[in-house]
Structures are given as structure tokens and as C-alpha cells.
Amino acid sequence: MDSINQPSKPPQKATIADVAKAAGVSKTTISRYLSGDYKSISEATLQRIKQSVKELRYRPSRLARGLRQDRSYSIGMIFADISNPFSTSVLKGAEDMCTKQGYSMIVCNTDNDPEKEKNYIAMLHAQRVDGLIIHPTGQNLENLRELSEDQIPIVLIDRSIPGLKVDTVGTDNDKAMTEATGYFLDQGFERIGFFSQPIQHVSSRIERARTFVQILAAAGHPSVDDIYEYEPRIQGQFDEQLDRFIAETQGQYRMIFAVNVVTQLKLINALQKRGLRIPEDVGFAGVDDSEWAPVVGSGLTTIAQPTYEIGNKAMELILERIAGDNGQPGHYALSANLITRGSTPSRNAKIL
């Protein structure tokens, strides 16, 4: 009777003991090699170990490696609003760098709620993440300071927190707003409405509003007072602010500036409901260059932030800190690009 072919068993996964035997060294030596401690290992032995690892296709357990080095090989990322295209692009930049270095990520979303942020900070600390990258609400200084004092590396993105001495990565808002506001003045706009969610506690919004006002004040422009803040949780406040700007600027060559892409969308929808056209009835510009910005009307003028690069740089910094970099914290302000389109025509241009 012909024998029945039995399915072959998958090859056994190589262990540290297998590598040690193949290289002719102890398991302790292999452990030192895997943890990056080469000081007491000769060059010849290193080469034998590398060759054995390669031939056996040995892959160390990340969990076991983490326990040996007191690391979890995970990094926490907390976003103020994960639905914001800014956040998704930053996340992509961070993730690409993270996976190359063998780390995993735990991503949390606070909805700009300081209490949710506080809870996520505590949760990630309890899970022993090796580092934390956060797009902060700006209202949990003490909680973040405690983590920093516990030697947990922290990198802030987009928003800094006064009193917290950690690395920050974001856009050069002063430079970007100086260029953009100067351009709006050159286009001849008589009134420019600056629309934003609450500015207090959010450094990027503070920087954009401050530079906007400074440039206008230097030019003697009346829109130094045209700052319109709205709290999304307060029903009707946004509509009241927009209606006030529209009423007060009737008959003037006017435009609206949105502090971020979330406010952009909200404004575009609101203007459409009111039957106001961009740019025929009101000019329009904003921070963040979304994929739909070129196709809205004749195209939206935007400040394109280097979002992917911000995420990539933040992850690079956190990995350097985890590896032992104890240098002074740095503030990295990356350059943005002003992209001018049909939504901000010159006052002298004929609008068809």
C-alpha cells in the first residue's frame, strides 16, 4: 500500500540557543549582541554571530527584547483631532519613520478635550510607552511635566506649551503669516476677517493671529480688530460671528482667512448656504492645503504646511531621545508655502 503523504511540519523558529550553538558562543554573548553591547565581543566573534543570525534567519522577539532593555518598543501619539487632514498627514510621516525602526504606535484622539487628553496621557504611561508625541490641547502642563521628569521622552507637534521643556516641531507660523498677510494687503483687500476656534492655550493659533494683527497694524489697516473666535461646542456662535463680519463689511472689498482646514470647511459650507460666492462676494484663504483646495471655485489660496515632514521629524527626535540623547530641547519651525489661487484676486482684477 502506498504511504499517504503527510503535510510537512513548518520549520522550527530559531532560538537564541540555536544561534549561540552555531556561532560557538554562549547565550549571554548573543544577548549582549542583540542589545547592542559589543564592547566585550571581538570582531571575529561579531562576524560569526552575524553570519549565524543570517543563516538561521533568526528574528528576536520584540517583547523579549523589550523586557531585556526595559523598553516596550511602542510610542504613543495623541492628536487633538484625528479627523483633521493635518493630523492624518502628520501621522503618515511619523508612521513611516517609526516602522523602519522596529517600533509600533498607539494612536489616540482627544477631540480637543483636555480631560480626554489627561486620561490618554495616564493610559499611555501605564502601558509603558517608550516615548510620547502629542498634538496638545495646551491645558495639561503638570501631567506632561510629570512624564518628562520621569525621563519619558516627549515631543510636541504644532503647539508648544509654555513651561514645558521638551522638543517641539511645527510650522514657522510667523514667517508664513507675514508672507500671507502681506499678500492680502497687496491684493487690495479692505477688510480681512480672521476666523478661528478658541485661540487661547493653542500656540499655533496665537502665533498666526499675533502676526496677522502686527502686519495689519504696521500698515494702518482697519482689520486689526477683525478676529472672530468661535467655540464649536457653543451652538450658533460660529454663525453669529460670520453674520457679523458679513454685515459689517457690506460693500467693501473683503476676504476671510481660516486658521486651519477644519475652519475652512465650516466657512465654505456656511458661505454657500448664505448664497455668497468665492471670490465674487468674498475672497477666501486659509491654513492647510487640502486635496480639494485646487478645485473649489477657481481654487483656494492656502498656506501649505509641511505636515508629513513634521511627523517624520517628530518621530526622528523621539527615537533619538529614546536612544539616549540628553541634549537641550529644540524648537523646530519648518517652512510652509503660500499657494495663491483664484480665491484672492487683486482688487483691480475683473471678476467674471
Side-chain angles (χ1 to χ4, degrees):
M1 180 183 291
D2 293 335
S3 61
I4 299 174
N5 291 327
Q6 297 292 329
S8 59
K9 293 182 179 179
Q12 290 287 330
K13 184 177 179 181
T15 65
I16 285 182
D18 296 327
V19 177
K21 183 177 180 181
V25 297
S26 68
K27 289 190 290 184
T28 301
T29 301
I30 299 299
S31 294
R32 286 203 301 269
Y33 168 82
L34 294 173
S35 66
D37 180 10
Y38 305 149
K39 295 178 183 178
S40 60
I41 306 175
S42 69
E43 183 60 32
T45 302
L46 275 175
Q47 293 307 315
R48 288 204 312 276
I49 294 173
K50 289 179 181 178
Q51 186 62 28
S52 299
V53 168
K54 182 178 179 181
E55 290 177 353
L56 294 172
R57 297 182 179 179
Y58 176 71
R59 295 291 182 271
S61 162
R62 184 162 60 187
L63 175 61
R65 182 176 52 161
L67 290 173
R68 285 195 301 275
Q69 299 181 1
D70 194 28
R71 293 185 188 174
S72 65
Y73 283 85
S74 62
I75 294 170
M77 286 198 76
I78 301 178
F79 285 99
D81 181 7
I82 197 65
S83 66
N84 188 330
F86 168 89
S87 300
T88 54
S89 183
V90 168
L91 177 59
K92 173 64 175 168
E95 183 181 36
D96 285 353
M97 172 69 71
C98 183
T99 53
K100 286 179 184 178
Q101 301 301 321
Y103 280 75
S104 61
M105 293 169 58
I106 303 173
V107 181
C108 306
N109 173 54
T110 68
D111 291 320
N112 281 297
D113 183 339
E115 192 61 30
K116 287 181 69 174
E117 179 183 75
K118 181 179 178 180
N119 292 335
Y120 279 132
I121 291 169
M123 181 270 288
L124 291 170
H125 190 196
Q127 293 201 14
R128 300 177 63 251
V129 294
D130 295 331
L132 181 64
I133 299 175
I134 180 168
H135 185 212
T137 63
Q139 299 184 57
N140 280 304
L141 169 61
E142 291 307 317
N143 302 85
L144 291 171
R145 183 181 281 159
E146 286 178 11
L147 286 190
S148 182
E149 290 173 353
D150 283 346
Q151 305 303 310
I152 296 176
I154 297 171
V155 174
L156 303 182
I157 49 177
D158 184 50
R159 306 168 177 177
S160 60
I161 301 178
L164 186 64
K165 296 180 180 180
V166 298
D167 294 311
T168 61
V169 186
T171 298
D172 189 337
N173 289 302
D174 291 337
K175 180 180 177 182
M177 286 304 300
T178 297
E179 182 180 4
T181 309
Y183 166 75
F184 303 151
L185 292 175
D186 290 342
Q187 295 303 91
F189 287 103
E190 298 172 289
R191 294 290 292 275
I192 308 168
F194 184 104
F195 280 76
S196 174
Q197 297 102 319
I199 294 172
Q200 188 181 19
H201 302 305
V202 180
S203 65
S204 54
R205 297 176 194 166
I206 292 171
E207 291 165 1
R208 290 165 192 165
R210 180 185 63 214
T211 303
F212 173 80
V213 170
Q214 286 174 346
I215 299 300
L216 294 181
H221 196 278
S223 284
V224 289
D225 296 320
D226 285 334
I227 304 292
Y228 297 85
E229 294 182 65
Y230 69 94
E231 170 54 67
R233 297 179 181 88
I234 299 178
Q235 188 174 2
Q237 188 178 63
F238 170 82
D239 291 305
E240 290 174 5
Q241 296 284 60
L242 178 58
D243 288 336
R244 181 160 64 91
F245 174 76
I246 292 170
E248 291 179 357
T249 59
Q250 194 69 37
Q252 299 182 69
Y253 195 58
R254 61 192 179 182
M255 68 163 284
I256 287 173
F257 179 82
V259 76
N260 55 32
V261 72
V262 173
T263 303
Q264 281 187 50
L265 276 171
K266 198 171 184 68
L267 284 165
I268 290 169
N269 288 330
L271 291 171
Q272 187 177 50
K273 288 178 182 178
R274 288 163 173 76
L276 295 174
R277 301 164 299 166
I278 299 172
E280 291 86 351
D281 300 311
V282 59
F284 194 93
V287 177
D288 291 323
D289 191 53
S290 63
E291 59 183 15
W292 42 262
V295 298
V296 174
S298 53
L300 301 181
T301 292
T302 60
I303 293 174
Q305 298 194 86
T307 47
Y308 180 90
E309 290 77 10
I310 288 172
N312 215 252
K313 182 64 177 179
M315 186 59 69
E316 176 187 316
L317 288 170
I318 206 77
L319 292 172
E320 288 175 356
R321 294 298 185 184
I322 291 169
D325 182 355
N326 294 316
Q328 288 297 311
H331 177 67
Y332 301 85
L334 309 186
S335 294
N337 293 317
L338 176 64
I339 302 175
T340 60
R341 299 190 179 100
S343 65
T344 52
S346 169
R347 186 182 182 186
N348 299 322
K350 183 179 180 181
I351 303 175
L352 299 178

